[in-house]
Amino acid sequence: MKELLGLYPYPTQWPSDINVRLRNVFPVLSASAEEFIRHLPKKEQAAFAQAWFNYHHGTGREVDSNCYLHYVTSDGSDGTNDGKKVFDENVSHL
């Protein structure tokens, strides 16, 4: 998918502000996800819906849709977050 080119599977063009980049491609990805899920067997739809939710809800809260802060690498007091690794894992689950 061209919207993720340079980000997945290899982060060769990771932008300085991943949140802005992913917000810009969200409409296309969202439409693709909605189309794709309709073609899955019913028993696989819940897992895909959860993977999609995890991809675009950085806080895990429904109210924070289209939030990608979990893909920002940080080194906080509670540990290091490797944003590229989290992104790779979440996209792989889709």
Side-chain angles (χ1 to χ4, degrees), residues 46-59:
F48 180 81
Q50 184 62 53
W52 175 242
F53 180 91
N54 293 343
Y55 168 80
H56 71 98
H57 285 82
T59 65

Side-chain angles (χ1 to χ4, degrees), residues 50-84:
Q50 184 62 53
W52 175 242
F53 180 91
N54 293 343
Y55 168 80
H56 71 98
H57 285 82
T59 65
R61 300 180 327 162
E62 183 68 40
V63 69
D64 294 325
S65 178
N66 204 10
C67 173
Y68 304 101
L69 297 178
H70 51 318
Y71 303 136
V72 175
T73 297
S74 62
D75 189 15
S77 59
D78 58 348
T80 299
N81 177 56
D82 183 344
K84 293 177 189 176

